Amino acid sequence: MKTTKSLVLLCTVLAACLALAAAGWSPGTATFYGGADGSGTMGGACGYDNLYNAGYGVNNAALSTTLFNDGASCGQCYKITCDRSRPGGQYCKPGNSITVTATNLCPPNYALPNGGWCGPGRPHFDMAQPAWEHIGVYQAGVVPVFYQQVKCLRSGGVRFSIAGSNYFLLVNIQNLAGSGSVAAAWVKGDKTGWIQMSRNWGANWQALSGLVGQSLSFAVTSTGGQYIQFVNVVPSWWQFGMAFTTNKNFVR
């Protein structure tokens, strides 16, 4: 009788996993970092600095190079659920899933075989510990997962954080809803036309222009294909280190 029940449970788990795969979910793995409060996840390779100010909070993750895509995935949202059908699945919290934002890179560790969990070719999420513990038991350290990219839901508008120098503007674009990530960006001073920006690193976009003392407008195309202009969102008295929140956001 015990064997029969075990077989029924196994078949149920496998059927559920097959259904997830058919619904567009992909297999991966997940670990955690940043401490019990997630404070160690602040900053990171997307350049968001304080993740609460940037609109992302503690439900965040560092992505392996396979998923990070040289920073193009910064801000994207992924729904993650534990996979009970694979080795390590006994540490899953059944029925739980969580959506996290990509805010950092999990680089390969070549001191380990094949670069470790974040080695080349491995879809892996190094999640903030509070987010990870929603789907896995702490003692496991790593669990098998299914994941899929999903639409991001944000509070408030897109945010522009400004750095650089007199002839170099570096703008970190934050809190995108919809696809969550930036495909292209432009900046315009009150004495210039639209200037095409280029990705510098992570979610930082640059323009090699002297725009100090001018009010600034931005235009952004999301990776979902939506284009929005943010006109005169930065006043002429702006300084490097300031951030400005808008009242517009993306739906795709």
Side-chain angles (χ1 to χ4, degrees), residues 50-136:
N50 186 311
L51 297 179
Y52 290 99
N53 291 344
Y56 304 124
V58 76
N59 289 342
N60 65 75
L63 274 54
S64 62
T65 52
T66 297
L67 298 174
F68 191 68
N69 195 21
D70 291 329
S73 297
C74 285
Q76 292 180 359
C77 296
Y78 295 86
K79 189 172 184 179
I80 301 173
T81 188
C82 206
D83 178 5
R84 297 175 65 201
S85 71
R86 286 189 283 155
Q90 70 270 27
Y91 296 106
C92 294
K93 292 182 178 177
N96 286 4
S97 62
I98 191 163
T99 298
V100 297
T101 298
T103 59
N104 200 358
L105 168 68
C106 179
N109 179 358
Y110 289 109
L112 299 174
N114 302 314
W117 291 112
C118 292
R122 299 195 68 157
H124 183 81
F125 297 85
D126 197 16
M127 300 166 62
Q129 184 176 331
W132 188 92
E133 287 196 75
H134 192 74
I135 61 169

Side-chain angles (χ1 to χ4, degrees), residues 193-214:
W194 286 104
I195 300 167
Q196 175 85 54
M197 304 182 79
S198 60
R199 186 188 305 279
N200 185 294
W201 61 274
N204 288 301
W205 291 74
Q206 67 178 18
L208 302 178
S209 304
L211 296 170
V212 174
Q214 300 184 49

Side-chain angles (χ1 to χ4, degrees), residues 91-181:
Y91 296 106
C92 294
K93 292 182 178 177
N96 286 4
S97 62
I98 191 163
T99 298
V100 297
T101 298
T103 59
N104 200 358
L105 168 68
C106 179
N109 179 358
Y110 289 109
L112 299 174
N114 302 314
W117 291 112
C118 292
R122 299 195 68 157
H124 183 81
F125 297 85
D126 197 16
M127 300 166 62
Q129 184 176 331
W132 188 92
E133 287 196 75
H134 192 74
I135 61 169
V137 177
Y138 175 83
Q139 287 76 8
V142 59
V143 290
V145 298
F146 278 111
Y147 70 93
Q148 65 176 183
Q149 187 179 346
V150 295
K151 182 177 180 179
C152 296
L153 302 176
R154 305 292 186 210
S155 176
V158 174
R159 186 172 185 262
F160 299 91
S161 181
I162 301 175
S165 59
N166 284 348
Y167 294 96
F168 171 67
L169 190 71
L170 189 69
V171 181
N172 190 271
I173 306 177
Q174 309 169 351
N175 200 46
L176 272 71
S179 66
S181 51

